Amino acid sequence: NKDVSEKDLADVIKFDGRKFLDKAKIDAVKKSARSYFETQGFYEATIDHKVAPVGNNEVDVTFTVSEGPRYA
């Protein structure tokens, strides 16, 4: 991600980390983010995620955004 600010991303990628990890919620967040990037002209944007265990019944979820080219 280069052209969209971290603050804007935080508003789009809302993920409540205190809840049970749910693949449907992750997919919904990714879909919402893709839609947002499309409104910004990034029609080829991809959003990936990685889940890493960090403790007893805890994980970190990391979202990675590749914007691709911006179309006018």
Side-chain angles (χ1 to χ4, degrees):
N1 170 51
K2 296 176 191 168
D3 293 322
V4 176
S5 75
E6 292 290 326
K7 180 189 176 307
D8 289 342
L9 277 179
D11 291 341
V12 173
I13 300 178
K14 293 182 181 179
F15 193 77
D16 186 355
R18 297 179 304 265
K19 304 265 182 175
F20 181 75
L21 181 63
D22 182 347
K23 183 178 179 332
K25 175 63 175 171
I26 291 173
D27 290 343
V29 168
K30 290 169 63 174
K31 182 178 180 181
S32 174
R34 266 193 300 282
S35 294
Y36 173 77
F37 277 93
E38 286 178 3
T39 67
Q40 301 302 306
F42 297 100
Y43 299 103
E44 297 179 27
T46 60
I47 295 90
D48 295 312
H49 75 281
K50 182 173 25 171
V51 178
V54 294
N56 200 14
N57 292 323
E58 295 180 3
V59 297
D60 277 342
V61 180
T62 304
F63 292 95
T64 304
V65 177
S66 298
E67 295 168 337
R70 182 178 231 166
Y71 299 96

